[in-house]
Amino acid sequence: MGASSLAALALALGSATALQLPRSARRARPATTTMAVDGLRFLSPTGVVKCKESFGTPCYVYDAPTLVARAEEALAFPNAFGVTVRYAMKACPNGAVLRLFESMGLHFDASSVFEVRRALAAGIAASKISLSTQQLDDDFGDLVKEGLKVNACSLAQLEAFGAAFPGADVGVRFNPGVGSGGTSKTNVGGPSSSFGIWHEDFDEVAAIAGKHDLNVVRVHTHIGSGSDAAVWQRVSRMSLDLCERLGGTVETLNLGGGYKVGRMAYEQSTDLSVVGEPVKAEFEAYAKRTGDELKLEVEPGTFLVANAGALVTTIQDVTSTKGSEAGNDFLKLDCGMTEVLRPSLYGAQHPLVVVKRDGTLNAEHKPYVVVGHCCESGDLLTPAPDEPETLASRDLAAADRGDLMVVESVGAYCAAMSTAGYNSFPSAPEVLHDKDGNFHLIRKRSSLDQLTMNEVDVDLSAL
């Protein structure tokens, strides 16, 4: 889909409102439990069948009205003196998604020089991109000359930037000493995290900036994905203290993203209008105290895209080990960790919905363990919550071989984290779903030839 058609699609979508998840407090659950059977979010049962007929399975589907609604919500983030919403593009970097968000006024956060170049290739201006990265490649200077904003994430990066651009404006990412996340693996603040410059190294930051006559105009902190709202608010106060210590050069405070998204019915989502108001008050108090009216930046990724994505798959086999006392009924999908790695990596939970091959829903339910297509014991779609190595059955509509299953809430960190190529499985296609139920192809399915095209023959006789 080209830029012009994307713009037209954005206009056609208008202010569509996405389906809201029920909000209830998250609670501990045993490994095997009976939960309410999940329902489809934005696809209809017949739409699921249409998707398979048009693109095959597995296939990622992103709902454009939901993307628009989440972007509008983020753009309304409470602020005192202006806010810039930067989409953390690592969550879902497809060019069509980037262009849709750009058409709505969003800017972008990149986590590598390669992501910067990918955004540029999608038509995003370098001036709308901010880079915060673990690896600052040697060619970063060319991108800075085009307008890229850099947040130095280590003392070595700050030194490298200063040597290349003495007297320039720069951002600095600090580790504030506090972190929070949905799991220990998604916590990116505190002493167990390598992300950002440790806050106790502030004097070294000031020394390097002074050495190269740098103006630290942006301070960036981020504490984790799925972070606790109260911790996030506390870190905002700590971040403002860092801004004040820099002596009035800071113009923008970037507080990252990481807002909780309720994928499952029992999970609670962050309400941006609620979490943002105390931070707005902190910015106002800071301005009254210092005379500096700081602009706010936020970097939602998961919040914008997680519940806007679904993966349409086929149940390619059904098997059982019920002859054993500890046996299970298994549904085997034609997707797996090659498309949705989060369950295997984090024990993450995704809603699962069975759709009969004729486009109907079955009222009969039974417990299943759902597994992927990889020859890998960890390829599991129903692990116990936060325990990727523990099987947990899930109550689903009774299914047969050839029926379809929709894996919901895969918009964030699924296609982007794909392990496609393992077992030589290709990358699944991606499509946009519009308000009228139409599908727009935005990435083709890859082929085996594409997987092997960079392999080079070697003369084995010379080995």
Side-chain angles (χ1 to χ4, degrees), residues 81-168:
F81 308 109
V83 62
T84 296
V85 177
R86 292 192 179 278
Y87 170 51
M89 61 178 286
K90 64 180 179 176
C92 183
N94 186 287
V97 174
L98 300 184
R99 291 191 293 272
L100 178 58
F101 283 151
E102 195 271 343
S103 73
M104 298 186 66
L106 272 64
H107 290 217
F108 300 87
D109 163 62
S111 295
S112 72
V113 166
F114 294 99
E115 280 194 345
V116 174
R117 295 195 181 281
R118 185 169 184 171
L120 293 175
I124 308 301
S127 60
K128 293 184 178 180
I129 307 170
S130 174
L131 174 66
S132 299
T133 180
Q134 289 281 77
Q135 176 180 314
L136 189 64
D137 294 328
D138 292 340
D139 60 346
F140 79 92
D142 295 335
L143 298 170
V144 172
K145 292 174 183 177
E146 292 185 43
L148 173 71
K149 297 174 176 62
V150 171
N151 295 322
C153 295
S154 71
L155 295 173
Q157 288 186 16
L158 186 60
E159 179 67 46
F161 185 94
F165 298 100

Side-chain angles (χ1 to χ4, degrees), residues 60 62 86-94 109-111 115 185-186 188 222 224-226 256-259 261 263 299-307 309 336-346 348 350 409-419 430:
Y60 297 101
Y62 306 123
R86 292 192 179 278
Y87 170 51
M89 61 178 286
K90 64 180 179 176
C92 183
N94 186 287
D109 163 62
S111 295
E115 280 194 345
K185 293 180 180 179
T186 58
V188 297
H222 181 44
S225 179
Y259 315 113
V261 170
R263 291 178 171 87
E299 294 178 352
T302 299
F303 177 85
L304 289 168
V305 296
N307 287 334
M337 59 190 293
T338 44
E339 288 75 31
V340 186
L341 181 60
R342 298 179 70 254
S344 298
L345 191 61
Y346 304 127
H350 287 267
S409 300
V410 302
Y413 302 102
C414 289
M417 288 176 64
S418 168
T419 59
E430 295 174 280

